[in-house]
Amino acid sequence: MQTVILIDANKLFREGLSRLLLDVPFNVAAEFASIEEALVAEPPTAADLILVDPGEDVSAMARLSQLRQAMPVPMVILTGGLDARRLTQALEVGVAGYLMKDMSADALAQSLRLVMMGEKVFPTHLADLLVTGQVQPQPATEITALRKGLSQRETQILRCLIDGDSNKIIAANLGITEATVKVHLKSLLRKINAVNRTQAAIWAMNNGLGASEGTQAANSDGPAVAGVASA
């Protein structure tokens, strides 16, 4: 059984996750409400893995670096929000994983097993950017698109739909065929659970995807992001 140090401000979450991990099996050797508590714990706690939610504090990543130095074991961030800036910082710190709290228990267990085997696990929708070294801070609206698994092209088409553009106009603006527009439109409707282009336009507006970039053609129809781990 692997031992875990669990750091999260929510006591109820810590207790629930501790019980869940026993079935994996991972045993929580110690739990703390903050990184500071873990750093000053006496005596220092030994474990095979650190599972931590750094919270929203802007200085949290600096303290994560201190924790990595004090406890040189694999560290996985388990947090409630996807932020490309924090992901970039986490990579610089050297974390082995960046996981979301809305994932299933089975996916979490599998991800932690992979980490203990020496693998790195990150959100599937940012994996391609990780592989190519292109992870950069992005606006919250773009993160919304990434969380839905939307490709760059699908996001562009959504912006065109806000303007009420027809498939023919979208194709001309983006330099692709109408048939290609239809394929992308069908895919994005499925991803955002919309039944028609009107609902898709409303979803785009509600999620802050303005039309300002809708006519900027990209040179590739491929997805902006792809996965390397099932987490």
Side-chain angles (χ1 to χ4, degrees), residues 2-115:
Q2 307 288 343
T3 55
V4 180
I5 292 175
L6 178 57
I7 305 173
D8 193 287
N10 190 309
K11 180 175 178 59
L12 184 60
F13 177 81
R14 296 198 308 270
E15 291 181 356
L17 186 57
S18 296
R19 296 173 184 174
L20 183 151
L21 289 175
L22 285 174
D23 297 328
V24 178
F26 282 84
N27 179 53
V28 175
E31 59 177 70
F32 303 98
S34 67
I35 299 172
E36 291 86 346
E37 284 189 13
L39 286 171
V40 300
E42 292 291 347
T45 305
D48 301 308
L49 174 71
I50 298 173
L51 195 56
V52 54
D53 184 348
E56 301 300 323
D57 192 330
V58 294
S59 62
M61 289 302 170
R63 291 195 296 276
L64 276 184
S65 182
Q66 296 175 9
L67 189 61
R68 281 273 296 152
Q69 295 176 10
M71 304 176 185
V73 297
M75 177 185 295
V76 174
I77 291 179
L78 180 62
T79 186
L82 178 60
D83 184 317
R85 183 188 301 275
R86 293 171 72 81
L87 175 58
T88 303
Q89 294 172 332
L91 289 173
E92 293 172 351
V93 170
V95 301
Y98 189 108
L99 305 175
M100 308 305 297
K101 287 183 176 179
D102 61 0
M103 70 192 311
S104 69
D106 288 342
L108 174 61
Q110 178 63 17
S111 296
L112 296 184
R113 292 191 190 101
L114 288 171
V115 168

